[in-house]
Amino acid sequence: MLGLCSKAIGQTKTASDDLISQPGIIIMIILLIIPLTIGVFILILKLSKVADKMVTDQELDEETRFAKYLSNLDGEEIETVLETRKKAIDFKLSNNELSGNENPLDNKGLIANVDEKAHIGFIASKKKALKRPNIDPDLSKLILWYLITATFWLVFGTTVGEYLGIKFVAPDVDHQSWLSFGRLRPVHTNAVFWGWSSLAMLGLGYYIVPMVSNTKIASLKKGWQSLYLVNATVILGSLCLMAGVNNAGGEYREYIWPVMALFGIGLIITLQNFIKTIANRTIKEIYISNWYIVSAIIFTLVISLVAYLPFWQDGLGETIVQGYYMHQGVGMWFMLFNLGLVYYFLPQQLNKPIYSYSLGIMAFWAQIFFYTVIGTHHFVFSAIPWWLQTVAIVGSVGMLIPVFAGTTNFFYTFKGSWYKIKNSYTLPFYLVGIVFYFTGSMQGTAEAFRYTNLVWHFTDFTTAHSHITMYGIIAFLLWGSIYAVVPRLTQKEPSHISVGLHFWMAFIGMLFYTIPLMIGGTLKGLMWMEAKPFIDSVVMMKPYWLWRAIGGSMMWFSHLVFAYNLYKMIAGKEATNIRKKGVEQFKNTALEIEPIA
């Protein structure tokens, strides 16, 4: 009898506690979500149509007012204005208004022989501005498909990340093996690494490399081959990870080697394509952007071989290789490539040359020298030789040189042009990226010291740091570059309101995400040092994980807005030329007016 009562009580408790997990309840929730989702989608469409109608009505009103203004002008007055305007357009300078016709006296060779007298051999002289060729429509199509697929992986990868963030607040949200945190977390990181960031970088590289070489890309066919291979890598890699098939290695190298080999082949094809394009250049210099881009691809191929070849990966060897691969992947692939993008797009958007070519070259070589030895600072106080840990810490401090050089170069390029930020929707992205390039890199140096490493490492502080670098630097620089280049390819501008929404949601969301994790991670590390029970640190982190979920949701929503902006830049309608439409309306009105007898 007592057993029956216990069983009855147990059944009642189970029915109460597991109500949400009942199949019927799940089906009902899904059935409710479907119409709600459709309703929200229809509401968005309706609001979009209302907004478009308002814009169209405003444009029509302006056209009418401009046509009315033209109709009120006297015929002779119009002819006088047009003739004056034609003279202004046809006027050209003779280029000797200030200098006269005489050559400058240069007995000391200060002008004519400046290159020979003062040129430093290992620093390339600044290149003069050259007229750039028009972009080949076929190349434009290739670049756009790189950016379209990159944006797809951004939305996909961060949707997975959004779900993982929710799991920190509600860990029992599901009980499916293929949706477990251990499987989804590498799906998220690898999708945004190799899908979003890598494809966007390569697509922008296909714009910059031929542009600064003043020639056409060597092979469009190889560009498409690389696009297919990288996308195949992310598709197959994601499926393998969700099925539980992985490399069983360290962070960011969870793809099994046959999958990652496809990515490597794609990079080899791209490297060959870029080098051949640079070899065919019609100018003497190799612009600094090409230095960074080609070097990033070469280093990534080396890094991948080191990470996946098994010869030296026994015991501590694998740990050392993991530190090398993980850190070089961020610094010598994503960071090096993106710095190459900035050296082209930032001067272009400011319409002025880079402040110092020499600083850029110094930062380039300093990053190669110092960054390649700092991977072991992830394993301070481990069984790795003490001298190797010390070398990593010294290299981390040495990173002050390229970071200070690069940041100084970029900010001095901004000097005298800060007012342009107000009227630009690309420069704010570059500004945020440069600021976090400095702060995030300095944070990495601070984390490398032994005491701070003891407090912060293996806590949520590291998660915050990785998002400040990969999101605050890489993503923002990529967005700025995409907003700069796509309108040039399609002649279509995004909505400035939606670009602003994207920027502020991503920026504020990242702050909501990273700052609480840095605070909570610090407290967690201190609790561990005080030998507090581990579960106490988990309970303490709950409110900080809630902020993580809020910030992550804002970031994820901003990605949807960015995807919409990219769609409008590619498939949207061209901006209305009010002046042109008003003149057409004026002409049509004039034809309808009958001459007075």
Side-chain angles (χ1 to χ4, degrees):
M1 185 69 178
L2 186 61
L4 289 174
C5 291
S6 306
K7 195 174 291 185
I9 293 171
Q11 289 173 349
T12 305
K13 186 176 180 182
T14 302
S16 174
D17 291 349
D18 298 336
L19 184 64
I20 301 300
S21 64
Q22 297 300 313
I25 299 298
I26 293 174
I27 294 172
M28 181 60 68
I29 291 173
I30 293 172
L31 291 175
L32 289 172
I33 288 174
I34 291 173
L36 285 174
T37 304
I38 295 173
V40 170
F41 179 75
I42 294 173
L43 177 62
I44 292 172
L45 286 180
K46 292 290 185 182
L47 291 174
S48 178
K49 287 183 179 180
V50 171
D52 289 342
K53 186 176 185 304
M54 290 175 63
V55 172
T56 303
D57 291 344
Q58 185 178 0
E59 291 173 352
L60 183 61
D61 182 58
E62 291 182 13
E63 293 169 14
T64 304
R65 285 191 287 108
F66 184 61
K68 187 180 294 184
Y69 164 75
L70 293 176
S71 63
N72 291 331
L73 290 177
D74 182 69
E76 294 182 1
E77 185 180 355
I78 293 175
E79 290 182 5
T80 303
V81 172
L82 292 177
E83 186 177 348
T84 304
R85 178 61 180 159
K86 185 176 184 302
K87 289 180 179 179
I89 293 172
D90 293 339
F91 176 76
K92 293 182 180 179
L93 294 171
S94 60
N95 295 323
N96 65 348
E97 283 78 7
L98 298 178
S99 64
N101 297 320
E102 298 296 329
N103 291 324
L105 188 63
D106 188 30
N107 295 331
K108 299 293 185 182
L110 295 178
I111 299 175
N113 300 321
V114 65
D115 280 347
E116 288 74 13
K117 294 290 182 182
H119 182 58
I120 302 173
F122 64 87
I123 297 178
S125 58
K126 291 182 176 66
K127 58 188 287 297
K128 296 180 180 179
L130 298 173
K131 184 179 180 181
R132 299 302 180 190
N134 294 326
I135 299 297
D136 179 7
D138 291 331
L139 178 60
S140 297
K141 183 179 178 182
L142 174 66
I143 295 169
L144 290 175
W145 272 109
Y146 267 97
L147 300 181
I148 290 169
T149 53
T151 304
F152 170 80
W153 290 117
L154 171 67
V155 174
F156 169 80
T158 53
T159 300
V160 175
E162 166 74 1
Y163 187 64
L164 292 173
I166 292 172
K167 281 199 167 193
F168 275 92
V169 182
D172 292 328
V173 68
D174 71 74
H175 298 281
Q176 300 294 329
S177 60
W178 55 277
L179 291 178
S180 63
F181 188 91
R183 293 190 184 183
L184 286 184
R185 201 268 178 173
V187 171
H188 161 65
T189 55
N190 285 277
V192 294
F193 269 41
W194 315 122
W196 151 240
S197 299
S198 297
L199 281 169
M201 285 156 42
L202 290 171
L204 294 167
Y206 270 98
Y207 177 85
I208 290 177
V209 171
M211 183 67 74
V212 299
S213 302
N214 201 27
T215 187
K216 64 180 182 179
I217 195 72
S219 172
L220 285 170
K221 183 179 179 181
K222 288 182 178 178
W224 287 104
Q225 290 172 348
S226 180
L227 175 66
Y228 298 145
L229 286 168
V230 176
N231 276 288
T233 299
V234 186
I235 293 171
L236 294 175
S238 299
L239 291 174
C240 287
L241 290 177
M242 294 183 75
V245 180
N246 57 69
N247 186 45
E251 199 171 18
Y252 310 142
R253 57 172 178 159
E254 292 90 352
Y255 286 172
I256 56 176
W257 73 262
V259 171
M260 203 61 187
L262 298 177
F263 184 82
I265 295 170
L267 285 193
I268 292 172
I269 293 172
T270 301
L271 178 62
Q272 181 187 13
N273 210 5
F274 284 176
I275 289 178
K276 192 171 182 180
T277 302
I278 296 170
N280 295 335
R281 69 189 185 279
T282 58
I283 55 177
K284 181 180 178 181
E285 301 88 352
I286 298 178
Y287 185 61
I288 190 171
S289 290
N290 283 348
W291 286 49
Y292 277 89
I293 290 171
V294 170
S295 298
I297 299 175
I298 293 173
F299 269 102
T300 305
L301 290 170
V302 173
I303 293 162
S304 299
L305 285 174
V306 170
Y308 278 88
L309 291 177
F311 311 138
W312 41 71
Q313 298 196 40
D314 293 326
L316 285 178
E318 183 176 11
T319 304
I320 295 171
V321 166
Q322 169 58 24
Y324 172 79
Y325 169 80
M326 176 173 55
H327 224 89
Q328 304 325 298
V330 174
M332 304 307 288
W333 172 232
F334 298 110
M335 195 68 73
L336 207 61
F337 203 114
N338 268 272
L339 289 173
L341 300 181
V342 177
Y343 273 103
Y344 175 80
F345 282 114
L346 183 62
Q348 180 203 68
Q349 293 298 294
L350 291 172
N351 196 27
K352 61 190 297 190
I354 196 73
Y355 170 71
S356 172
Y357 204 92
S358 301
L359 270 179
I361 297 297
M362 185 185 75
F364 173 81
W365 289 112
Q367 177 147 342
I368 289 175
F369 182 78
F370 289 111
Y371 210 106
T372 49
V373 298
I374 67 177
T376 315
H377 76 206
H378 284 276
F379 303 103
V380 175
F381 298 113
S382 69
I384 291 174
W386 192 259
W387 67 266
L388 188 56
Q389 300 177 33
T390 304
V391 167
I393 296 171
V394 172
S396 301
V397 176
M399 278 301 296
L400 293 171
I401 296 173
V403 171
F404 268 91
T407 306
T408 301
N409 211 3
F410 298 144
F411 277 137
Y412 268 85
T413 304
F414 265 109
K415 186 178 180 181
S417 300
W418 293 104
Y419 67 93
K420 293 183 179 180
I421 295 177
K422 181 178 65 175
N423 297 320
S424 171
Y425 56 78
T426 60
L427 291 177
F429 286 96
Y430 286 114
L431 181 60
V432 169
I434 294 167
V435 168
F436 280 113
Y437 170 59
F438 178 78
T439 57
S441 299
M442 292 301 95
Q443 187 185 61
T445 298
E447 285 183 80
F449 293 103
R450 286 192 168 92
Y451 179 79
T452 50
N453 196 288
L454 188 64
V455 176
W456 285 334
H457 208 59
F458 302 117
T459 71
D460 294 75
F461 193 99
T462 305
T463 305
H465 171 64
S466 65
H467 280 77
I468 285 175
T469 52
M470 281 303 299
Y471 197 85
I473 305 173
I474 305 303
F476 272 83
L477 293 180
L478 287 175
W479 285 326
S481 301
I482 291 171
Y483 282 128
V485 75
V486 174
R488 290 174 175 264
L489 302 179
T490 63
Q491 307 302 315
K492 297 172 184 176
E493 296 282 340
S495 166
H496 293 183
I497 295 176
S498 57
V499 173
L501 181 63
H502 168 209
F503 173 83
W504 287 111
M505 290 289 286
F507 179 62
I508 296 173
M510 184 185 63
L511 296 181
F512 282 0
Y513 186 104
T514 56
I515 293 175
L517 287 187
M518 286 189 283
I519 297 171
T522 303
L523 296 175
K524 178 190 282 189
L526 293 173
M527 292 178 71
W528 290 354
M529 292 173 68
E530 294 171 2
K532 296 286 181 68
F534 177 78
I535 192 63
D536 289 355
S537 67
V538 175
V539 174
M540 181 274 299
M541 282 299 300
K542 186 173 182 180
Y544 300 102
W545 285 335
L546 177 60
W547 277 107
R548 170 188 175 139
I550 294 171
S553 298
M554 294 178 68
M555 294 154 70
W556 175 73
F557 178 76
S558 76
H559 304 160
L560 300 181
V561 178
F562 167 67
Y564 171 77
N565 289 341
L566 184 67
Y567 166 76
K568 295 296 285 186
M569 286 189 287
I570 295 174
K573 66 176 183 179
E574 294 186 18
T576 303
N577 188 328
I578 302 297
R579 185 175 295 276
K580 181 179 178 181
K581 291 288 186 181
V583 170
E584 291 177 357
Q585 190 178 129
F586 168 70
K587 288 180 179 179
N588 294 333
T589 305
L591 290 174
E592 293 174 1
I593 299 175
E594 296 182 2
I596 299 174

